[in-house]
Amino acid sequence: MEKIRMNTPLVEMDGDEMARIIWQMVKDELLSPFIELNTEYYDLGIKHRDETNDQVTIDAAEANKKYKVAVKCATITPNAARVKEYDLKQMYKSPNGTIRSILDGTVFRAPILVNGISPVVPSWTKPITIARHAYGDVYKNVELKVSGAGDAYLVFEGADGKEQKLLIQHFNKEGILQGIHNLDASIESFAHSCFTYALDTKQDLWFGAKDTISKTYDGRFREIFDGIFEKDYKEKFETAGITYFYSLIDDVVARVMKSKGGMIWACKNYDGDVMSDMISSAFGSLAMMTSVLVSPHGYFEYEAAHGTVQRHYYRHLAGEETSTNSVATIFAWTGALRKRGELDGNQALCLFASKLEEATLRTIESGKMTKDLALITSLKDVQVLNTRDFILAVRDNL
Ligand code: NAP
Ligand code: MG
């Protein structure tokens, strides 16, 4: 076949360890033979981040702003052990955190469904996407242990000299205290990202918080979501045939359990932390989970939800065979290619993305899969393939 052309580049952010090995295999076997790949390449591998004092991560995020669409490989977030292992000049921050702070976005995580890997909730026939607010609340808290009797106050000293003060509790004996905050601007961009993504994927948006108890704090989240929806999105949702609703978080949990799936569930920071782990394990595996960062300015960054799969990499380095699942990496690429195609009006590219996804799912359904899936599938006569052979089996189907 004649290779599919790309008018505009895609920002490619390479990464680390086994994820980097898979990345190259996917490009060599599943993309380059069919597409005249047009990417602007940034090497976010830990060695190159160290050589550039992490400037490459900032440059990659800036390029994401310029070209709108990026695809990212999993990267090492260094800890003390990694600093020693790679002889790093410093303990760099998480690349995802750096990119997120430049693009100002919300992370959407969705499981990839395939016949033979059943969710533990039988009624879930469509994926459930978690949209997690990634700023503030308990993740940016201050805490105190109080040692005895006394009064605790919530005090705001305005820059204009005005003061607001509320009694939290009169303590008779020892106890604990916590202060948390959020920002209107951050909640607003969270809301815009959720509404934009719902329109983009034509899925209903559900948002749950606890404004009956937390009338001011959670109430503000609800107010901002409702206000932005009425002003900017109501008509667009009607045209797209999708709905938005707010309900109490406990009501949303109950409805999700009884649903068929197929919605976006917007969660405050802590709720999203808990619920995304519940959703990913209930649907099967972290290796079957995609993740996309959507900024309110219309930038998209696609990635796999798993990490660099360090333990498999050490086996790979030792010359042993690995059976690492490349599905989430393949879907990160197809997500980015489809978005590139949509923005450029490049139908051939969109079609290719869908065909590659289909070929990947059909490969698994035909009984050919990596070890992680073989352990949980209900299919009989499964053929467990190594990392490369699975990718080659997908190519055969493609
Ligand atoms: P991980 O790479 O996700 O791997 C944890 C375990 O999950 C693996 O050991 C493996 O289990 C299983 N697994 C994950 N992905 C798999 C796949 N594609 N196929 C088969 N099995 C898979 O998490 P981690 O070991 O905690 O972190 C390793 C490195 O990744 C860290 O340096 C961390 O900073 C980085 N990380 C990066 C990102 C990102 O860039 N988005 C996200 C998370 C972590 P078995 O060993 O039992 O087979
Ligand atoms: Mg968590």
Side-chain angles (χ1 to χ4, degrees):
M1 67 178 264
E2 201 183 312
K3 285 196 191 183
I4 298 164
R5 289 181 190 283
M6 293 171 63
N7 318 328
T8 321
L10 195 66
V11 178
E12 176 185 351
M13 306 180 187
D14 208 345
D16 288 300
E17 301 193 314
M18 202 60 204
R20 188 180 178 103
I21 306 285
I22 292 176
W23 192 260
Q24 195 60 46
M25 285 183 189
V26 167
K27 280 176 67 180
D28 290 348
E29 302 297 342
L30 300 178
L31 303 175
S32 296
F34 310 101
I35 302 174
E36 206 67 69
L37 260 190
N38 179 2
T39 71
E40 195 163 290
Y41 179 86
Y42 292 85
D43 184 1
L44 267 55
I46 188 71
K47 285 187 197 130
H48 193 238
R49 271 184 279 152
D50 195 41
E51 280 159 20
T52 63
N53 299 314
D54 212 20
Q55 184 61 38
V56 66
T57 308
I58 296 162
D59 293 346
E62 290 299 334
N64 198 161
K65 280 183 169 176
K66 181 174 171 195
Y67 294 113
K68 307 248 190 315
V69 190
V71 58
K72 181 181 169 291
C73 179
T75 46
I76 290 169
T77 298
N79 53 17
R82 297 300 205 159
V83 170
K84 203 164 156 222
E85 182 181 1
Y86 287 92
D87 191 20
L88 303 177
K89 286 183 258 175
Q90 49 171 300
M91 200 184 294
Y92 299 97
K93 282 194 244 168
S94 147
N96 288 335
T98 302
I99 294 166
R100 215 171 290 160
S101 73
I102 294 172
L103 301 183
D104 175 25
T106 300
V107 176
F108 296 85
R109 290 201 156 176
I112 300 159
L113 296 199
V114 57
N115 290 325
I117 313 286
S118 311
V120 289
V121 179
S123 65
W124 290 353
T125 53
K126 291 180 188 167
I128 295 168
T129 303
I130 295 282
R132 175 182 168 189
H133 186 211
Y135 179 85
D137 300 351
V138 71
Y139 302 88
K140 229 170 155 23
N141 69 353
V142 285
E143 302 185 326
L144 265 186
K145 201 168 180 314
V146 296
S147 51
D151 294 320
Y153 292 97
L154 193 58
V155 183
F156 175 73
E157 292 173 350
D160 60 3
K162 284 190 194 134
E163 190 184 277
Q164 289 168 274
K165 187 173 179 182
L166 284 175
L167 179 71
I168 298 171
Q169 178 69 18
H170 170 72
F171 286 84
N172 289 318
K173 40 179 119 167
E174 47 294 303
I176 42 179
L177 277 166
Q178 179 181 66
I180 60 170
H181 84 282
N182 222 297
L183 301 171
D184 280 10
S186 175
I187 304 168
E188 282 161 14
S189 48
F190 174 44
H192 280 295
S193 297
C194 289
F195 291 128
T196 306
Y197 194 70
L199 283 170
D200 207 53
T201 58
K202 299 217 166 30
Q203 296 181 91
D204 293 341
L205 178 67
W206 299 12
F207 178 38
K210 196 72 182 175
D211 67 320
T212 43
I213 301 297
S214 169
K215 292 186 166 58
T216 305
Y217 197 103
D218 281 23
R220 189 71 187 132
F221 276 82
R222 178 183 187 167
E223 243 167 52
I224 288 174
F225 265 71
D226 287 355
I228 288 176
F229 179 69
E230 287 296 323
K231 186 168 163 285
D232 295 335
Y233 295 96
K234 199 174 179 189
E235 280 166 31
K236 290 180 192 154
F237 267 52
E238 276 166 19
T239 310
I242 57 173
T243 56
Y244 160 69
F245 77 83
Y246 170 88
S247 189
L248 290 172
I249 176 86
D250 35 353
D251 176 53
V252 172
V253 167
R255 290 200 205 196
V256 164
M257 295 311 286
K258 285 188 255 169
S259 77
K260 292 194 164 69
M263 81 294 282
I264 297 161
W265 179 4
C267 292
K268 287 177 61 203
N269 210 347
Y270 173 79
D271 300 337
D273 189 352
V274 179
M275 293 308 167
S276 65
D277 281 8
M278 197 255 307
I279 294 290
S280 71
S281 47
F283 271 102
S285 155
L286 201 59
M288 297 291 283
M289 191 94 178
T290 58
S291 183
V292 56
L293 175 71
V294 179
S295 95
H297 317 291
Y299 316 131
F300 299 83
E301 186 233 60
Y302 293 83
E303 61 169 4
H306 61 74
T308 61
V309 213
Q310 185 180 4
R311 289 200 295 186
H312 294 209
Y313 181 60
Y314 292 153
R315 258 177 258 152
H316 170 83
L317 286 184
E320 291 169 34
E321 189 167 80
T322 56
S323 181
T324 313
N325 188 334
S326 49
V327 173
T329 300
I330 294 171
F331 274 66
W333 273 98
T334 54
L337 290 170
R338 182 182 296 107
K339 178 53 72 184
R340 181 77 280 160
E342 281 169 16
L343 294 178
D344 295 354
N346 187 340
Q347 291 229 338
L349 201 56
C350 295
L351 191 64
F352 175 81
S354 300
K355 294 214 180 248
L356 176 52
E357 288 177 357
E358 222 173 279
T360 305
L361 299 180
R362 294 300 93 82
T363 302
I364 297 168
E365 286 166 357
S366 75
K368 295 178 181 175
M369 60 190 78
T370 46
K371 194 175 156 194
D372 56 312
L373 296 184
L375 291 170
I376 55 171
T377 185
S378 56
L379 296 176
K380 307 274 178 281
D381 301 324
V382 165
Q383 199 183 340
V384 180
L385 299 180
N386 67 33
T387 308
R388 175 178 293 282
D389 285 347
F390 175 76
I391 291 170
L392 294 179
V394 172
R395 180 168 169 173
D396 271 350
N397 268 335
L398 183 62

